[in-house]
Amino acid sequence: MGDTATRRSSAAALTAVFLLWSAPGSPDPVSRPASSPTGVPKTCTATLCAVNAGARTVDVITGIGHALRIVRFQTGEACLIKVGGAVAAMGDLKIGVIVRIHYRSTAGQELAESIETLSPKGQGG
Amino acid sequence: MMGRGGAFRISAAGLVLLLAAACARSAKPGDPLRGLTAEQRDRFERGREVFGRVFTPETGLGPLFNSNACAECHEDPVPGGPGDEVELHVAAFDPRGATCDPLIERGGPVIQQMVTPALRSVLGIDSEPVPSAATARAMRTTPDVLGFGLLDAVSDEAILAHADADDSDGDGISGRPNRFFDGRLGRFGRKALVPTLREFNEGAFTIEQGVTNPAVPTEETVGGNPLPEGVDPVPEPEIGQEAIDRADAFVRFLAPPAPKTFTRSAKRGRAVFSRIGCADCHVPRLRTGHHTVKALRNKEVAAYTDLLLHDMGPELADICLGLATPSEFRTEPLMGLRLSNHFLHDGSAGSIDDAIRRHGGEATASRDRFNGLTDRDRRALLEFLLSL
C-alpha cells in the first residue's frame, strides 16, 4: 500500500465527517445515525488498509454502495488490540483483515478504544 | 352421465377462468410489483418523482457528477430501465498478492465525468482526473434495475447455496461471493460489491449526482483532494431522509418485466439454454426469503443470475473491486434483457450473439457449445433470450 504516513495525510481531513455505525450483529447500516454526539461510543466494522505504529493510527476502507471512504482512527496507549482473539500489538495488525473498532468521536478525530480482527478477509462460500 | 346443464356449467366456469387469467396482465417495464398495499403504491409513485428529479448546482448537483438525475441514465423505455450512458471506474490490482486498491484517496473507484461550472471555473477541469496509479479502467453501462427489490430480498443462504469457490463438483464453474469491506456478502454492481439495494441507492446519489444524503453526507473528492471553498453551495446533506426513502421505495418496488410469451422456438431455446450450461451461472430462478413487504416475501424471481462472481477470462478483464479480481464479474441478471441494445458490462457487445461469443474463463465450455449449435438451436436460444 505504499508509504502509509504520507499517502494517508490527506485522508485525515476527510475522515472526521464520515462515520459508519455498525452495532454488532446488526449488519444493516441504514439504521445508524449519520452523526453522533461527541463521546458517544460507536462501532465501525471495515477492512484495514493502513497501520502507522509511529503515529498510532489505523485506516480502514468503508462506505455506502460504491461511495467508498477511508476513515482514520487514532489509537491511544489504552487501546485494546486483539488479533484472533488474543491481545496483540499494533504491529500485529495486517492489511486486508476485517476489524471491528469501538471508538468515540472527540475533537474532530476518531479515537479507537479497541480494535479486534474478525476474520481473515472474507473468502468465497 | 353429465346432462347438458352440467356440461354448460363446466364450460362457463372454464371461460370465466380463462377471462380471469387474461385480465391478470403481465407486468410491463416500469410497473410496480403486484400485491403492494395502497400505502406502498403511494410510496412507489412518490419515489418515481424523486427518481426523475433533475438536480442543479443550486439543489445539490455535483460539484462532480455523472448525471443530473437517476432517470437520466436509467431511462429506456421507462424510469428504471437501462440506458446508453457509460461511466468510468478505476482500481489498482497487485497480482503478486491479489490485492485490490480502489484508489479512494485518488478519487476512485468511480471517476465522475462532469463538473459544475463553479468547479470548472476554479480548477479548470471538465471531469475528475483519472489517477495515474490505476492499473485498469473499467467502463460500466447503465443496467436496468427492474426487479432489483426482489434480488435484494434473496437471502445470503440462497446465494451461497450456488457457490462452489473451489469447483469441488468439478464442473468448471466456481462461483464465489464478493464481500463488502465489513465482510457482508455483496450482490449489487458488476462486481457484486454492494450488499443491499438501499446502500446501492444511497451511494449512487452521491457518486453519480454529487447529491449528499444522510447515509453519505460527504462529497466526493477531486482526485483525492478536498473540494475548493465555495464550489458546493448547498449544505450537507443535500437531500433528506424522506427523499432517499422514497427513491429507494420506487426502485425496490419496481417489478421485473414479465417475459414475452414464449413461442415454440423460444421454448426450444430455453431448453438449449440449460443444455449447454448457461443456466449454471445464469440460474433461472431465485427465491426470496422472509420480508416485511408481502410483495417481496417468499417470491420466485426469474432473474437468470446466481449473483456470484465468475472468472470470465482475460479478454473481458478490467478492474478489481473488493475480492473480485479483474477477470471476475457477477453473473448479469438477464431479466429485462430485451430492453437493452448493448451488452456485457461495458456495452462493447452490440448483440447478444456477440456477448455470448466473448464469454471466456469459466464460461468457455458453454461458449464453445454455443458456437457448435445448429443454426436452428442458436436462433432458438437467441429468441428465448430476447423474450426475457
Side-chain angles (χ1 to χ4, degrees), chain B residues 105-179:
Chain B
E105 294 172 299
R106 289 168 171 73
V110 180
I111 303 298
Q112 286 76 28
Q113 297 300 290
M114 288 185 270
V115 303
T116 57
L119 190 62
R120 183 184 299 115
S121 70
V122 172
L123 295 184
I125 59 173
D126 291 315
S127 63
E128 183 171 29
V130 177
S132 58
T135 58
R137 303 184 184 196
M139 306 310 296
R140 293 286 181 262
T141 57
T142 306
D144 79 85
V145 295
L146 308 173
F148 274 33
L150 288 164
L151 291 182
D152 190 56
V154 176
S155 69
D156 287 3
E157 291 72 25
I159 295 172
L160 291 172
H162 294 281
D164 185 15
D166 299 321
D167 190 19
S168 53
D169 62 5
D171 66 352
I173 307 296
S174 55
R176 68 183 187 123
N178 201 353
R179 291 187 181 272

Side-chain angles (χ1 to χ4, degrees), chain A residues 7-8 11 14 17-18 27 29-30 32 34 45-47 61 63-70 98 121-125, chain B residues 101 104-106 109 177 179-184 194 198-200 202-203 206-207 214-216 218-221 321 323:
Chain A
R7 294 182 68 245
R8 304 295 186 244
L14 302 173
V17 297
F18 187 81
V30 175
R32 76 192 185 295
T45 303
T47 294
I61 298 178
I64 298 289
H66 285 151
L68 302 181
R69 300 290 187 267
I70 290 178
I98 297 173
K121 192 167 185 183
Q123 302 301 314
Chain B
D101 181 356
I104 299 167
E105 294 172 299
R106 289 168 171 73
R179 291 187 181 272
F180 196 69
F181 299 96
D182 59 2
R184 286 177 298 146
V194 184
R198 160 75 66 158
E199 291 166 87
F200 196 90
E202 289 169 335
T206 303
I207 61 170
V216 191
T218 59
E219 295 281 5
E220 295 287 293
T221 63
L321 191 60
L323 300 177

Side-chain angles (χ1 to χ4, degrees), chain B residues 25-46:
Chain B
R25 184 174 63 77
S26 298
K28 317 194 306 295
D31 278 354
L33 293 166
R34 280 214 193 120
L36 294 177
T37 65
E39 184 267 341
Q40 289 162 351
R41 282 294 299 261
D42 182 65
R43 284 164 55 199
F44 174 81
E45 294 301 334
R46 290 174 185 270

